[in-house]
């Protein structure tokens, strides 16, 4: 069976899909970097398949810098900025050239009247001017590679500012240079400590102040290599920096504060590059609550809000989304420095049974694995821990030994267990000398193991020697101040390594040529209109999605004949281009078993349609399909990412249950199956209360076919709603009982 082959398609499944002219999956096993000829490749939707990562070496480490609007006059804002840039240029070994029309020198450096007067072609120009547009055009003539615009008053101010930013962006594109900003700041030119070792965090923020907590991690001994304050992103954007940082050997993690994404596909391509390289991306993305939710006609549209799509897209490509800046700094610090886990098991080691139980509850609720230690391991631990204390996990030592070697023996024995990948020691408050000895033993053990050791130092003071010197002085122990941040970081750490170990880039095998289904489907599209159920089902048929036996009729007599051909019992439904939810209007009749019922139903349906002033193209007489799990599969169009695919529990309660999962194409069979496991009602597909297991393989097939439809018709299809999709018992397939399609 399909489920037992770890993602390989059955011969029958492959044959059915290829008969429809489609590739059955859009994921491959290769994680190799794209070849040169692939860098401009497009999928069938016309979207790029690889990120064009800019070479930003000369931005962060220029050989020459021009400061346009430089000043050394007392009381001028530009003076302080100029002074900081001179110091930064000295640190990175760059030659700095001040530019000002009325000054001969600035801080003792020769000053040039204009860009045209610069003595050499510069790598980076910093614009300390209110209107950067005229200067950009001058920089283009001087063939400057990069520029930074600090000026505000652009898209952040409203429509007029947005128009000014659009003009600036157009000028930049014509110029050939790359621009950071406008509305950015000096964070890129901060002083980074060069006395710290190990992998570094690269920081990207759209709001400079929001990156301060991560920047100050240097004071705790954690290295920072770059800071990109992207501002309004008229040109260079968050995705460009993710792509660049993912290729830098010193970068161990990328931390982001994102207010808005500029281009959804470019963001996913950048995340894909990071995933291929195993570089974790941790992001705070503001905007979880949407005050202006868009209206949608379909169930699918109502299930999928903008932030839901952002969240799903990030998860799909391995971006770790956190809520707070404290979580951002702690998670990024752990992921940057921790080695690859040897096991997923977490052991909680504490000097208090209550502390261990409390933390274990929270960790288990968050999805961490807290395995029970073997009886042999418990017996070993009881050599040094009294028998009356629990050591099954959590391990309660009753008070870490202070006067001898037993403390290290306990810790080493726990770490020697092959099921243990992480040891977490919550210390809710200092209790010297016990907490001091415990901290030292943990640090010493960390130096001799490849397994992760985490400590939570719960003291609100934070000035204790055990914390400031012993724990923070170790690059091998991850130290946290709260239970929650530790759990968030460890979960992200284990999840990231599971994700990258199994990652298969969906872009490598995304379809690039249109399938035979496309031509059939395109003939059915009606721009700006909603299709009738009958036409929407023809659209599904074009892509090989099974629908019930049915006929569209325009008379009671024809309905009776159709019922005989379809086979009793039947369902009768009104079909028209303006009908979205027929059940609420009484325009669906089920379980009809005789000619008299057919005639009565036909008359009643047409009477209701006339009363409601709903135009019909006819009445559908359909095969009745009863036994199965009702699901919904659909397509909606997101403003940022384009077409998205949604699957969830279906039927009349779909909007009440609100149980759905979303993916952004392209994705493969593995992601289609992962969508199903995310559903709270996933157990229904496995069979409950005596019901047989559903045909999950057939459901996955429908999801992939709908995805192909989304890729090929996504720019012409505003919404598609297949509800209910009846998933029959295993081996019997899935049938689309109803469908709604809205064309753009």
């Amino acid at each position: 069976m399909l489920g037992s082959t770890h993602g390989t398609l059955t011969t029958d499944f492959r044959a059915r899909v290829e008969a429809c002219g489609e590739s059955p999956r859009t994921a491959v096993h290769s994680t190799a970097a794209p070849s040169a000829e692939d860098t401009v490749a497009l999928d069938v939707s016309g979207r790029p398949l690889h990120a064009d990562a800019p070479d930003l070496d000369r931005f962060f480490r220029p050989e020459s810098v021009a400061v346009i609007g430089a000043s050394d006059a007392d009381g001028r804002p530009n003076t302080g900025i100029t002074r900081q840039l001179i110091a930064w240029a000295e640190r990175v070994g760059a030659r700095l050239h001040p530019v000002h029309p009325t000054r001969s020198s600035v801080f003792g450096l020769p000053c040039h009247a204009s860009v045209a007067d610069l003595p050499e072609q510069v790598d980076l120009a910093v614009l300390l001017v209110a209107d950067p547009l005229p200067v950009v055009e001058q920089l283009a003539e001087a063939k400057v590679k990069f520029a930074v615009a600090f000026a505000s008053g652009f898209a952040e101010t409203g429509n007029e500012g947005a128009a000014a930013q659009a003009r600036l962006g157009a000028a930049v594109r014509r110029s050939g240079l790359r621009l950071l900003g406008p509305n950015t700041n000096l964070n890129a030119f901060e002083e980074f400590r060069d006395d710290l070792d190990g992998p570094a965090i690269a920081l990207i923020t759209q709001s400079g102040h929001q990156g301060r907590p991560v920047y100050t991690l240097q004071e705790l001994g954690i290295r920072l290599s770059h800071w990109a304050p992207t501002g309004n992103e008229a040109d260079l954007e968050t995705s460009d920096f993710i792509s660049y940082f993912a290729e830098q050997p010193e970068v161990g993690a990328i931390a982001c504060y994102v207010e808005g994404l500029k281009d959804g596909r470019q963001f996913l391509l950048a995340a894909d590059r990071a995933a291929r390289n195993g570089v974790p991306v941790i992001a705070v993305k503001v905007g979880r609550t949407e005050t202006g939710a868009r209206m949608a006609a379909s169930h699918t549209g109502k299930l999928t809000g903008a932030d839901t799509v952002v969240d799903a897209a990030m998860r799909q490509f391995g971006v770790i989304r956190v809520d707070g800046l404290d979580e951002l700094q702690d998670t990024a610090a752990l992921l940057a420095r921790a080695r690859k886990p040897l096991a997923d098991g977490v052991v909680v080691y504490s000097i208090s049974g209550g502390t261990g139980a409390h933390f274990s509850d929270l960790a288990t609720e968050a999805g961490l694995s807290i395995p029970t230690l073997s009886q042999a391991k418990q017996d070993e631990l009881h050599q040094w821990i009294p028998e009356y204390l629990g050591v099954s996990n959590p391990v309660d030592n009753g008070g870490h030994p202070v006067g001898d070697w037993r403390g290290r023996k306990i810790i080493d024995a726990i770490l020697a267990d092959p099921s243990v990948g992480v040891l977490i020691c919550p210390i809710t408050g200092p209790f010297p000398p016990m907490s001091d000895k415990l901290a030292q033993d943990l640090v010493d053990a960390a130096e001799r193991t490849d397994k992760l050791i985490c400590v939570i130092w719960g003291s609100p003071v934070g000035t204790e020697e055990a914390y400031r010197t012993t724990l923070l002085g170790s690059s091998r122990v991850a130290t946290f101040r709260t239970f929650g941040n530790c759990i968030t970081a460890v979960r992200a750490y284990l999840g990231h390594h599971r994700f990258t170990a199994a990652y298969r880039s969906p872009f490598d095998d995304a379809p690039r040529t249109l399938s035979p289904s496309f031509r059939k489907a395109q003939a059915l599209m009606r721009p700006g209109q909603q299709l009738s159920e009958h036409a929407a089902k023809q659209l599904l048929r074009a892509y090989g999605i099974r629908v019930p036996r049915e006929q569209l009729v325009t008379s009671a007599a024809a309905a009776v004949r159709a019922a005989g051909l379809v086979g009793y019992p039947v369902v009768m439904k009104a079909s028209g281009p303006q009908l979205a939810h027929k059940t609420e209007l009484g325009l669906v009749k089920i379980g009809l078993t005789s000619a008299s019922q057919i005639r009565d139903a036909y008359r009643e349906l047409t009477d209701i349609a006339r009363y409601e002033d709903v135009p019909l193209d006819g009445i559908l007489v359909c095969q009745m399909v009863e036994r199965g799990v009702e699901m919904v599969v659909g397509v909606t169009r997101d403003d940022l990412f384009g077409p998205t695919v949604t699957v969830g529990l279906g039927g009349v309660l779909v909007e009440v249950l609100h149980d759905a999962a979303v993916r952004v194409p392209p994705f493969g069979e593995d992601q289609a199956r992962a969508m199903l496991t995310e559903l709270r009602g996933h157990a229904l597909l496995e069979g409950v209360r005596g019901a047989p297991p559903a045909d999950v393989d057939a459901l996955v097939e429908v999801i992939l076919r709908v995805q192909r439809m989304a890729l090929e018709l996504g720019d012409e299809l505003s919404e598609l709603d297949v509800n209910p999709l009846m998933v029959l018992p295993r081996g019997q397939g899935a049938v689309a009982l109803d469908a709604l399609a809205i064309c753009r």
Side-chain angles (χ1 to χ4, degrees):
M1 292 301 294
L2 178 59
S4 64
T5 56
H6 302 287
T8 58
L9 296 170
T10 63
T11 302
D12 181 54
F13 185 9
R14 186 180 300 279
R16 280 181 283 152
V17 178
E18 291 176 347
C20 189
E22 304 171 38
S23 170
R25 58 200 300 161
T26 58
V28 297
H29 298 239
S30 171
T31 58
S35 61
E37 62 269 20
D38 284 339
T39 56
V40 293
L42 306 176
D43 67 15
V44 293
S45 71
R47 293 173 174 83
L49 289 169
H50 299 292
D52 182 17
D55 182 358
L56 296 171
D57 290 348
R58 283 289 178 259
F59 176 87
F60 288 106
R61 293 290 185 272
E63 293 183 356
S64 55
V65 181
V67 180
I68 317 300
S71 174
D72 58 2
D74 291 341
R76 301 288 297 174
N78 285 5
T79 300
I81 298 175
T82 303
R83 184 182 290 111
Q84 181 173 341
L85 290 169
I86 290 172
W88 171 76
E90 290 177 353
R91 289 195 301 272
V92 300
R95 298 176 296 277
L96 187 138
H97 304 291
V99 177
H100 194 285
T102 64
R103 297 181 181 277
S104 59
S105 68
V106 172
F107 288 117
L109 297 173
C111 188
H112 310 280
S114 69
V115 172
D117 296 324
L118 287 169
E120 63 177 325
Q121 180 180 330
V122 300
D123 295 322
L124 173 66
V126 181
L127 311 185
L128 308 184
V129 295
D131 184 4
L133 181 57
V135 183
V136 165
E137 295 168 348
Q138 297 170 26
L139 296 175
E141 294 180 10
K143 301 187 184 305
V144 175
K145 297 182 178 69
F146 297 100
V148 179
F150 293 141
S152 58
F154 289 91
E156 78 277 9
T157 63
N159 292 336
E160 187 175 340
Q165 183 168 311
R167 291 192 294 271
L168 177 63
V172 169
R173 287 190 293 275
R174 291 192 302 269
S175 72
L177 65 78
R178 302 306 305 269
L179 176 76
L180 181 71
N183 193 31
T184 185
N185 54 39
L186 285 162
N187 294 148
F189 312 114
E190 295 279 3
E191 182 175 2
F192 301 113
R193 287 180 57 176
D194 57 8
D195 60 333
L196 301 175
D197 297 323
I201 296 173
L203 178 60
I204 306 168
T205 61
Q206 282 181 290
S207 172
H209 191 67
Q210 293 294 82
R212 284 288 155 192
V214 176
Y215 177 75
T216 54
L217 282 172
Q218 295 176 104
E219 299 306 310
L220 302 182
I222 296 168
R223 184 180 168 206
L224 200 76
S225 60
H226 306 78
W227 189 347
T230 59
N232 285 13
E233 300 190 350
D235 177 35
L236 287 169
E237 57 181 300
T238 296
S239 303
D240 292 317
F241 289 101
I242 291 175
S243 292
Y244 173 76
F245 292 149
E247 300 288 348
Q248 305 312 303
E250 72 269 30
V251 172
I254 302 169
C256 310
Y257 173 82
V258 182
E259 293 178 350
L261 293 170
K262 182 178 173 183
D263 184 313
R265 173 53 72 96
Q266 289 299 320
F267 177 77
L268 297 184
L269 289 169
D272 172 70
R273 184 181 293 270
R276 289 173 187 261
N277 292 342
V279 179
V281 179
I282 307 96
V284 170
K285 168 63 176 70
V286 298
R288 281 195 182 275
T289 56
E290 293 286 335
T291 56
R294 64 180 177 83
M295 297 300 292
S298 70
H299 293 295
T300 307
K302 292 173 183 175
L303 289 174
T304 309
D307 191 68
T308 303
V309 177
V310 169
D311 199 60
M314 286 185 168
R315 187 167 57 251
Q316 182 177 336
F317 285 85
V319 176
I320 300 157
R321 190 175 183 184
V322 295
D323 292 323
L325 298 178
D326 56 333
E327 292 177 327
L328 180 65
Q329 67 174 21
D330 282 352
T331 304
L334 176 62
L335 283 164
R337 303 204 301 176
R339 301 178 185 182
K340 183 178 179 180
L342 301 178
D344 279 353
V346 175
V347 162
V348 181
Y349 177 63
S350 73
I351 61 175
S352 162
T355 301
H358 182 200
F359 186 88
S360 297
D361 279 350
L362 296 174
T364 301
E365 182 69 20
L368 294 180
S369 171
I370 311 290
T372 300
L373 298 179
S374 68
Q375 188 59 54
K377 179 60 64 176
Q378 293 183 51
D379 292 343
E380 182 183 2
L381 292 173
H382 275 308
Q383 296 178 71
W384 312 295
I385 297 174
E387 287 288 340
Y388 60 84
L389 295 174
V391 295
S392 61
N393 194 13
V395 176
D396 176 11
N397 60 35
H400 188 76
V402 174
D404 55 35
W405 42 262
R406 288 175 298 157
R408 272 296 304 279
K409 285 285 190 182
I410 295 169
I411 295 169
D412 290 343
I414 293 171
L415 293 171
D417 192 309
S419 70
V420 175
V422 183
L423 185 151
I424 300 177
C425 182
I427 304 173
T428 54
F431 190 63
M434 185 189 302
S435 53
D436 296 353
K437 184 65 165 62
L438 174 56
Q440 188 63 58
D441 283 346
L442 290 166
V443 167
D444 291 344
E447 294 296 330
R448 292 180 167 270
T449 182
D450 287 333
K451 297 185 177 182
L452 175 62
I453 294 180
C454 300
V455 175
I456 303 148
W457 190 262
S459 166
V461 179
T463 59
E464 298 85 359
E465 186 74 11
Y467 171 65
R468 299 296 303 180
T469 302
T470 306
L471 293 174
L472 295 184
S474 169
S475 63
R476 301 284 294 127
V477 172
T479 304
F480 302 88
R481 299 303 302 275
T482 67
F483 283 16
N485 280 16
C486 177
I487 290 169
T488 295
V490 171
R491 181 176 58 191
Y493 159 71
L494 295 172
H496 164 74
H497 286 283
R498 282 194 300 268
F499 177 85
T500 54
Y503 185 68
R504 303 168 179 179
S505 174
F507 295 112
D508 286 346
D509 201 33
R512 305 185 190 199
T513 58
L514 295 168
S515 70
S517 301
F518 172 73
R519 185 170 296 178
K520 302 175 192 175
Q522 196 174 41
L524 298 168
M525 304 300 286
R526 299 292 181 267
Q529 298 181 26
Q530 175 180 308
L531 303 183
S532 68
E533 178 184 340
H534 182 60
K537 284 180 173 175
Q538 288 181 302
L539 196 64
L540 299 183
R541 282 195 187 98
Y543 278 89
I545 297 171
R546 181 178 165 192
V547 300
R549 296 189 303 273
E550 62 183 35
Q551 290 193 18
L552 183 69
V553 300
T554 56
S555 70
V560 172
R561 291 193 296 272
L565 293 172
V566 168
Y568 289 102
V570 298
V571 176
M572 291 180 65
K573 297 187 280 186
S575 177
Q578 297 180 19
L579 280 173
H581 304 304
K582 296 178 284 292
T583 303
E584 289 89 333
L585 296 175
L587 291 175
V588 179
K589 302 294 179 183
I590 64 174
L592 306 176
T593 57
S594 68
S596 62
Q597 288 181 341
I598 298 291
R599 284 189 287 269
D600 290 343
Y602 185 91
R603 183 169 54 254
E604 185 175 348
L605 292 173
T606 53
D607 286 348
I608 292 173
R610 277 192 296 271
Y611 177 77
E612 297 288 347
D613 195 24
V614 175
L616 301 181
D617 58 8
I619 301 296
L620 281 172
V621 181
C622 311
Q623 171 193 10
M624 187 167 174
V625 180
E626 297 181 86
R627 190 165 175 248
V629 178
E630 291 187 340
M631 302 293 292
V632 57
V633 180
V635 175
T636 54
R637 184 174 178 80
D638 182 75
D639 291 340
L640 181 64
F641 293 101
T644 65
V645 176
T646 301
V647 63
L649 294 183
V652 296
L653 295 178
V654 57
E655 293 171 29
V656 176
L657 298 173
H658 208 82
D659 188 10
V662 185
R663 289 295 184 275
V664 179
F667 58 85
E669 182 188 341
D670 55 342
Q671 286 290 331
R673 292 185 180 278
M675 293 173 79
L676 303 181
T677 61
E678 290 175 16
L679 301 177
R680 295 188 302 275
H682 176 257
L684 292 173
L685 294 169
E686 299 172 346
V688 295
R689 300 183 67 87
D695 197 336
V696 172
D697 293 351
L699 174 55
V700 169
E701 180 180 347
V702 171
I703 294 170
L704 294 176
R705 290 182 185 275
V706 167
Q707 180 198 202
R708 187 62 182 254
M709 191 184 305
L711 284 167
E712 296 188 348
L713 299 174
D715 291 331
E716 303 176 55
L717 189 64
S718 177
E719 295 181 36
L720 173 71
D721 197 56
V722 182
N723 181 44
L725 175 74
M726 188 68 81
V727 185
L728 304 175
R730 184 177 295 165
Q732 298 180 31
V735 186
L737 301 188
D738 201 348
L740 180 149
I742 303 174
C743 306
R744 293 186 73 202

